[in-house]
Amino acid sequence: MADDKVYKLVEIVGTSGDSFAKAVANGVERASGTLRNVDWFEVTELRGRVANGKVSQYQVKMKVGFRLDE
């Protein structure tokens, strides 16, 4: 079956000083630079860092799925 695929999952944390969306984008871009065939991600946790009473970093824990080579 040509359309059947097998994926592997890795868990990463993307970070950004700007937003949760940018943290996701940073994580996916970095994972794509190291892993081949990245096809999807799933956000599993949102959190952040506080410094001096203000949000200083957005953190996104996510699973990244990539296709295994044939």
Side-chain angles (χ1 to χ4, degrees), residues 1 8 13 15-16 21 23 27 31 43 54 57 59 62 65 67:
M1 302 193 108
K8 180 165 180 66
V13 177
T15 64
S16 170
V43 173
K54 296 183 180 179
Q57 185 182 64
Q59 302 173 353
M62 65 182 118
R67 272 179 288 114

Side-chain angles (χ1 to χ4, degrees), residues 15-68:
T15 64
S16 170
D18 298 325
S19 68
F20 286 117
K22 184 65 176 164
V24 169
N26 289 343
V28 169
E29 287 173 24
R30 179 65 177 90
S32 294
T34 302
L35 304 169
R36 289 191 313 265
N37 305 319
V38 172
D39 281 349
W40 58 271
F41 69 92
E42 173 187 356
V43 173
T44 58
E45 189 175 319
L46 300 173
R47 61 177 176 248
R49 178 172 292 167
V50 176
N52 300 318
K54 296 183 180 179
V55 174
S56 63
Q57 185 182 64
Y58 298 87
Q59 302 173 353
V60 180
K61 184 176 173 183
M62 65 182 118
K63 295 177 183 177
V64 176
F66 60 96
R67 272 179 288 114
L68 297 179

